[in-house]
Amino acid sequence: MTVTISRRGILTLLAGAGAAALAGCEPARGPASAPGVAIPDPLLVRVDGGEALLRGTDRRTFPRAVGSADGGWIFATAPDGPDTACWRIDTTTGHASPKTVLPGRWAPQAVSGDGTGVALTTTGATASGGRPPGRNATPVLVADVNGVRHRLDLRGNFVPEAFTAEHTGLFVLEWLPATAPDRYRVRVVDLATGEPGPLSTRDKTPVPPGAEEEMRGDGRQAVLAPDRTVLYTLYTHQPGHQHTRDLVSGRPGNAHAFVHTLNLAARWAYCIDLPHPFGEAAAAGHAMAISPDGGRLLVTDVSSGTVADISTEELTVRRTVPQDRGTGAAHAAAGDDRLFLAAGTTVRALDLTRLTGTADWQVREPVTGLVLSRDGSRLHVGQRDAVSWHDAATGRELGRVPVPGLVGLHGLAGSA
């Protein structure tokens, strides 16, 4: 299964409520969604109180938590005196592991692709939360259901983003300069040595000194490939940005938007430039989805009415297709034969092969997220304090449940 997450927490796709930081209480069981109304597909959603798991008529909120990218697991924490209690929830069953105690106060930031490990820091700064405060050193804890596995004391200003596929490394954002950050680069920390280093290029050669990409723009959204080996992140507003390949070759660069491709298994990165007018308008008007087979990335800019069709094998834009323009924050979800786009109160269904419109639907309130059921028959639509679900073929609303404080949709809960 593929889940869309907001950048840059895959891993994430993600991060939960680190910004709620280190105060609060045990995870709370909220009121039933609505008397007699059960949501048909379990969902992980973001609410202003943290991460929430919606299953049937039940709603459980975890104030300091982060979910795995596939929606199968949640790592939650709570203060335990001067220390931190940490446990894992199986979103398929709702069962929780026994709590372990981590020495000190920690906030969860990133979960491994298979849901077995979690990276935590001492502050609420997340990979998806924008610029962190200045600092010269960053303590990081790597844990699992049995307790601490690694303690890292990184010199500089770092934020965990994702684990390598084999769990021996941790991808991080290194913010520069450390005490007054205004840009960042992606690096990988060797968990055995605790040392951060550069990624490799697409041909698997180490990036030479001085050629690591430094980014200043907006990481709009990230999606994980269905096989969990590649993380794609959409960046906008990068005037004057130079990719590693430009820095190595000496060519000028001026990309306003691109998709940063991070191979979690081979540890290489590559950027797919998006053509004009991507990146010219507001970052919120851009969205991205991946096809269920992982072969295509679809990127939309609703402000200009453009969809880019990207081959994940070739890492190139194969075509762009014009659409009607829209306003507001953009959202996207892809099924086997359709691409769903939303902006404002309009949801559009496109034929995935031709990328031409088949229908436009109106919903009650501005959309805050789209999630397609595993069988492709239902489209879940996040709105103001509610989630509705619709017949994916006709757009007819099939049901609606209140979700007070809803911020956005994380994805389907439970293992695929």
Side-chain angles (χ1 to χ4, degrees):
M1 186 195 85
T2 305
V3 175
T4 300
I5 58 181
S6 60
R7 172 69 168 185
R8 293 168 277 289
I10 163 181
L11 277 180
T12 193
L13 76 254
L14 267 143
L22 308 170
C25 57
E26 293 287 330
R29 183 179 296 275
S33 301
V37 178
I39 193 164
D41 302 284
L43 295 178
L44 278 181
V45 304
R46 292 181 294 275
V47 294
D48 55 18
E51 291 270 331
L53 173 61
L54 311 180
R55 298 176 70 247
T57 59
D58 185 51
R59 173 171 173 252
R60 298 171 65 190
T61 301
F62 304 91
R64 292 155 304 281
V66 60
S68 63
D70 69 353
W73 308 93
I74 299 172
F75 272 91
T77 61
D80 186 353
D83 300 319
T84 301
C86 181
W87 65 102
R88 187 180 68 171
I89 299 94
D90 182 338
T91 64
T92 301
T93 64
H95 294 161
S97 70
K99 294 180 181 179
T100 60
V101 177
L102 309 177
R105 290 292 182 87
W106 300 91
Q109 304 291 1
V111 177
S112 62
D114 61 2
T116 60
V118 61
L120 310 95
T121 62
T122 56
T123 73
T126 69
S128 60
R131 186 180 307 176
R135 58 190 176 196
N136 284 315
T138 306
V140 177
L141 210 63
V142 175
D144 60 20
V145 294
N146 297 310
V148 178
R149 287 294 168 261
H150 301 277
R151 165 71 189 247
L152 309 174
D153 292 293
L154 305 178
R155 296 179 58 186
N157 195 337
F158 294 87
V159 178
E161 178 175 32
F163 285 84
T164 60
E166 77 292 350
H167 291 209
T168 60
L170 180 68
F171 294 103
V172 294
L173 307 182
E174 181 184 13
W175 284 85
L176 303 168
T179 57
D182 63 8
R183 62 192 186 279
Y184 58 90
R185 59 184 178 181
V186 181
R187 311 202 88 199
V188 61
V189 178
D190 186 307
L191 293 180
T193 65
E195 291 297 322
L199 305 180
S200 297
T201 61
R202 191 180 176 188
D203 61 7
K204 300 181 182 180
T205 60
V207 175
E212 292 181 77
E213 295 181 44
E214 296 180 358
M215 290 166 272
R216 299 175 185 268
D218 301 314
R220 165 60 179 156
Q221 182 189 4
V223 299
L224 187 66
D227 64 3
R228 302 176 181 170
T229 62
V230 182
L231 178 67
Y232 303 96
T233 303
L234 173 60
Y235 283 91
T236 63
H237 295 297
Q238 297 282 327
H241 176 80
Q242 288 184 287
H243 302 310
T244 291
R245 59 183 181 267
D246 300 322
L247 294 167
V248 170
S249 67
R251 295 190 302 265
N254 189 27
H256 285 265
F258 59 86
V259 176
H260 186 267
T261 304
L262 179 61
N263 189 299
L264 304 177
R267 304 190 184 192
W268 55 256
Y270 184 82
C271 292
I272 308 165
D273 284 339
L274 293 168
H276 178 83
F278 285 93
E280 297 287 347
H286 296 70
M288 179 170 61
I290 192 168
S291 60
D293 64 4
R296 296 166 65 190
L297 279 173
L298 294 309
V299 184
T300 183
D301 169 22
V302 298
S303 299
S304 67
T306 308
V307 173
D309 186 359
I310 296 172
S311 165
T312 59
E313 180 179 358
E314 301 168 359
L315 298 183
T316 58
V317 178
R318 297 191 300 182
R319 57 175 172 163
T320 59
V321 180
Q323 306 290 330
D324 291 340
R325 297 185 180 188
T327 58
H331 302 276
D336 289 326
D337 56 2
R338 278 167 293 184
L339 172 67
F340 298 94
L341 306 176
T345 59
T346 300
V347 178
R348 173 166 298 162
L350 304 178
D351 177 88
L352 190 60
T353 300
R354 300 188 303 272
L355 294 181
T356 55
T358 60
D360 278 5
W361 317 330
Q362 294 299 315
V363 295
R364 305 184 198 182
E365 297 168 337
V367 175
T368 60
L370 299 176
V371 171
L372 195 62
S373 64
R374 288 191 174 89
D375 64 6
S377 66
R378 292 175 297 278
L379 182 69
H380 298 270
V381 180
Q383 297 174 66
R384 184 179 297 114
D385 294 330
V387 173
S388 59
W389 55 97
H390 302 251
D391 184 303
T394 66
R396 181 172 65 89
E397 183 175 303
L398 303 176
R400 183 182 182 92
V401 293
V403 185
L406 181 69
V407 175
L409 306 188
H410 182 125
L412 291 172
S415 301

